[in-house]
Amino acid sequence: MNPTDEQTAAADAFRAGNHLALQAGAGTGKTTTLTLLAHATTRHGRYLAYNRAIAQDARARFPNTVQCKTAHALAYAAVGHRYTRRLNAPRRPAWQTGQALGITKTLRIGEREVTQKALSNATLRTITRFCHTADEAITRHHVPRLRGLEDTDLHAELAAHIVPFARKAWADLQHPEDGAVRYDHDHYLKAWALTQPRIQADFLLLDEAQDTNPVVEQIFLNQRDHVQLVMVGDSAQAIYHWRGAKDVMTGFDGTQLTLSQSFRFGPDLAAEANRWLHLADAPIRLTGTPAVPTELGPVSQPDAVLCRTNVGAMAQVMTLMAAKYRVALAGGGDSLQALALAARDLKEGRRTHHPELILFPSWGDLQDYASHDPAGRDLQPLVNLVDTHGTDAILTAVTQLAPEPHAQVTVSTAHKAKGREWPRVLIADDFARAKDDISDDQDAPSPPGPIDDAEARLAYVAVTRTRRRLDLGGLSWIHDHPDGTSTDRNWPHPHALHQPADVSEAGERGQ
């Protein structure tokens, strides 16, 4: 392929030895660009992949002067191999691990009774959260917030109880031969990071930089004095903040360049993507490829239905199966099965170990929480789904899921759809906003609430998964929202270095 002007500019900056941050929009060929950089030099480098599958694919595309590995693979070679015996240990229930650490009693916090099992589960989740950070020690902010204990004072009381046990668990994980806590891959990655490792290479390429955990960010940035750093990603696709990921591209000290020419879709879809990029205050706008005539309009037989939540995905699976479609679920049905089993436990009067529902003693208690507590409103769709269909019907649907190659339609959350694409995509109803409240005079509706960055970024990911046709479906409300119909008059932003050729046209079309 002939490189675009943007790709040529990136190659020139790379050859000049600059630290480089490359903002690459959806479908703009970011991995192709990285391979272009690697082939343009005889120096030796390393490519840090987001997961093992990406690393394996990259090995076939990069020259043999570049080692393609995950951060975990580097950490295993340096530290993790010492813990092989513990990595292969059998799984054990969290409550047994907690008991071995000394967690033996129930704790009363506010109106909630936190069982020994819930405390054990929270302790292990604290370790996981600590391992994703760049912090040197476990503190209260690593303790997860539990449903029903969202209040700051209640969480502080929980954290004061959990932190000593979490520190004891981390100390247990330092023993290579044996211990009470099951050893995980994130444990040796964190242990390696704490040694402040030095990676031997001439340049280091970091892919999917917008979703990098702080622990990997720390390892990467610490190489700055002796390695040329190149990161590529899309800040507008930073949708994993809720699990500790951090967009390391923002504020990176280096040459900032963009890839804005999307080869996945045409100008009409690029205009829709730019609407959400504007709302997310993103540093790029996209240009579509005219030879790819992507359409926006109704889709009666989608290849993929994209949902905002797991519960929304569960509802779509049920609806499509009732209409006799062969349905696949991206990532498999384990998460849906776990939710349904948790709901069944509560309905039958048993507590559940599911981390989202672990503090609720009964289904009625969860129903009240979802209906009346503002912190629990996102659980209302789960309650409605279970009360409408029953847990047995949901569990049966999970067992009837088809493998993706044999399915007529794939259901996915937007999170799991990242990095993927389909010909025809429908956006599910759970992206829709609640009806606007009526003002005090009962005559006129209140103005719609603002669209926050996280909402806009997730919508941007969802609408850019298609090649041929997109049905906005649950996101159609954007056409009636004042922020969604405003023009992008302030583009380009002062910090943006590249203006796509069709920005003025997109602005005239209401983007």
Side-chain angles (χ1 to χ4, degrees):
M1 58 165 280
N2 294 321
T4 65
D5 290 345
E6 292 173 325
Q7 290 172 327
T8 300
D12 290 343
F14 177 69
R15 279 191 292 265
N18 299 348
H19 295 304
L20 179 61
L22 196 56
Q23 287 280 357
T28 57
K30 61 185 178 61
T31 305
T32 299
T33 303
L34 287 181
T35 59
L36 177 71
L37 304 189
H39 280 286
T41 181
T42 57
R43 295 181 299 152
H44 288 76
R46 290 179 183 263
Y47 168 83
L48 282 183
Y50 187 67
N51 58 41
R52 185 185 300 178
I54 292 174
Q56 290 174 338
D57 178 65
R59 289 186 193 112
R61 303 177 65 177
F62 280 88
N64 57 17
T65 51
V66 177
Q67 286 190 346
C68 303
K69 293 180 179 291
T70 63
H72 282 89
L74 295 178
Y76 183 83
V79 173
H81 66 276
R82 304 174 199 159
Y83 295 84
T84 302
R85 181 172 173 178
R86 290 191 67 172
L87 276 167
N88 295 328
R91 294 187 178 275
R92 62 190 306 191
W95 69 266
Q96 287 186 2
T97 302
Q99 197 170 58
L101 293 170
I103 303 174
T104 57
K105 297 179 180 178
T106 294
L107 181 67
R108 184 100 185 159
I109 299 180
E111 298 179 357
R112 293 287 176 189
E113 185 179 86
V114 190
T115 65
Q116 185 267 351
K117 291 181 179 179
L119 292 170
S120 301
N121 183 285
T123 298
L124 296 181
R125 288 172 65 196
T126 298
I127 293 294
T128 298
R129 288 161 62 94
F130 166 65
C131 287
H132 292 165
T133 71
D135 302 332
E136 294 185 1
I138 296 170
T139 62
R140 56 188 285 181
H141 80 267
H142 299 119
V143 178
R145 292 187 177 270
L146 301 185
R147 294 276 193 178
L149 295 179
E150 292 91 347
D151 179 81
T152 300
D153 291 339
L154 297 179
H155 179 262
E157 190 175 343
L158 174 70
H161 188 81
I162 292 291
V163 166
F165 290 113
R167 289 174 177 168
K168 186 175 180 180
W170 182 246
D172 173 274
L173 289 165
Q174 308 314 303
H175 302 293
E177 294 301 319
D178 198 15
V181 184
R182 189 173 191 271
Y183 205 88
D184 194 4
H185 297 280
D186 283 345
H187 298 149
Y188 63 72
L189 176 62
K190 179 63 177 178
W192 182 53
L194 288 172
T195 69
Q196 298 185 336
R198 180 183 176 92
I199 299 175
Q200 297 299 328
D202 296 318
F203 59 89
L204 194 57
L205 309 175
L206 177 64
D207 204 353
E208 298 289 353
Q210 79 282 347
D211 285 330
T212 301
N213 285 336
V215 64
V216 176
E217 174 198 12
Q218 177 192 48
I219 294 167
F220 179 78
L221 294 180
N222 281 352
Q223 314 307 313
R224 183 182 190 93
D225 291 341
H226 70 283
V227 173
Q228 181 185 9
L229 302 181
V230 179
M231 59 172 65
V232 63
D234 185 353
S235 291
Q237 293 191 54
I239 58 174
Y240 286 105
H241 289 171
W242 53 274
R243 72 178 191 192
K246 181 180 178 183
D247 175 17
V248 305
M249 304 190 74
T250 304
F252 177 69
D253 183 13
T255 300
Q256 301 272 346
L257 295 175
T258 61
L259 298 179
S260 64
Q261 174 71 52
S262 180
F263 304 100
R264 180 180 299 159
F265 42 74
D268 288 347
L269 199 285
E272 184 62 36
N274 286 339
R275 181 202 309 276
W276 297 102
L277 288 169
H278 165 59
L279 292 169
D281 195 28
I284 58 172
R285 299 294 182 269
L286 294 178
T287 302
T289 298
V292 185
T294 315
E295 300 174 333
L296 280 79
V299 173
S300 58
Q301 292 187 318
D303 299 290
V305 179
L306 304 187
C307 307
R308 188 175 66 85
T309 64
N310 282 323
V311 175
M314 185 187 295
Q316 285 293 326
V317 167
M318 301 288 290
T319 300
L320 289 164
M321 283 187 174
K324 306 301 182 184
Y325 283 92
R326 292 191 308 277
V327 184
L329 184 66
D334 289 351
S335 60
L336 302 191
Q337 183 182 52
L339 270 173
L341 290 172
R344 186 172 71 181
D345 283 343
L346 292 177
K347 287 179 73 71
E348 294 179 355
R350 297 186 300 272
R351 281 186 176 268
T352 176
H353 298 163
H354 196 288
E356 282 290 292
L357 311 178
I358 198 167
L359 290 189
F360 299 99
S362 68
W363 184 250
D365 191 46
L366 175 59
Q367 288 174 314
D368 289 342
Y369 176 79
S371 298
H372 305 299
D373 193 315
R377 285 179 182 169
D378 63 319
L379 289 174
Q380 191 63 55
L382 172 64
V383 171
N384 294 341
L385 190 71
V386 171
D387 287 344
T388 300
H389 296 282
T391 56
D392 287 346
I394 295 169
L395 290 168
T396 298
V398 171
T399 65
Q400 294 174 349
L401 288 168
E404 283 198 52
H406 303 296
Q408 295 169 288
V409 58
T410 296
V411 175
S412 176
T413 62
H415 287 89
K416 288 190 174 69
K418 218 170 74 117
R420 302 190 60 183
E421 58 184 63
W422 293 270
R424 297 176 298 273
V425 172
L426 168 66
I427 307 297
D429 291 342
D430 68 338
F431 272 96
R433 285 187 150 204
K435 297 293 184 183
D436 294 318
D437 295 331
I438 302 299
S439 60
D440 291 339
D441 63 12
Q442 299 297 309
D443 292 328
S446 300
I451 302 169
D452 65 33
D453 287 357
E455 185 178 14
R457 287 194 301 269
L458 193 63
Y460 164 67
V461 170
V463 303
T464 54
R465 297 308 97 197
T466 190
R467 295 192 301 271
R468 287 171 47 190
R469 191 173 180 88
L470 172 70
D471 187 335
L472 271 176
L475 284 171
S476 297
W477 54 264
I478 191 62
H479 294 295
D480 300 318
H481 195 288
D483 293 343
T485 56
S486 62
T487 57
D488 204 0
R489 297 187 188 279
N490 294 326
W491 179 258
H493 298 300
H495 60 277
L497 300 183
H498 177 80
Q499 178 173 339
D502 67 345
V503 163
S504 59
E505 177 188 352
E508 290 299 318
R509 293 169 62 185
Q511 306 309 319

